[in-house]
């Protein structure tokens, strides 16, 4: 089977993760931490947790 000279980004990414399995775990952990932090900051500072009357009066 002939190899293509132009590797796709997905093929390079998969090859990197195959050679560095700990990097895959670190990448997943960092992604989950970033998502949880973003959700926490949104709920905390957006007023999303305020009373329904306060939110309704914004509009």
């Amino acid at each position: 089977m002939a190899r293509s000279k132009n590797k796709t980004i997905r093929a390079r990414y998969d090859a990197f993760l195959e050679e560095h399995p700990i990097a895959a775990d670190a990448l997943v952990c960092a992604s989950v931490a970033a998502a949880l932090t973003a959700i926490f900051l949104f709920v905390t500072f957006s007023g999303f947790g305020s009373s329904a009357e306060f939110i309704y009066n914004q509009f």
Side-chain angles (χ1 to χ4, degrees):
M1 186 170 177
R3 291 183 110 184
S4 173
K5 290 185 179 182
N6 296 330
K7 284 188 173 181
T8 63
I9 293 174
R10 178 64 189 210
R12 290 180 186 191
Y13 178 74
D14 289 340
F16 175 81
L17 293 181
E18 193 174 300
E19 294 176 13
H20 305 91
I22 295 176
D25 296 337
L27 185 62
V28 169
C29 289
S31 298
V32 169
L36 290 175
T37 301
I39 291 169
F40 173 75
L41 291 174
F42 172 75
V43 170
T44 302
F45 296 113
S46 69
F48 192 71
S50 301
S51 67
E53 183 179 342
F54 174 74
I55 294 173
Y56 181 73
N57 289 330
Q58 299 288 321
F59 302 102

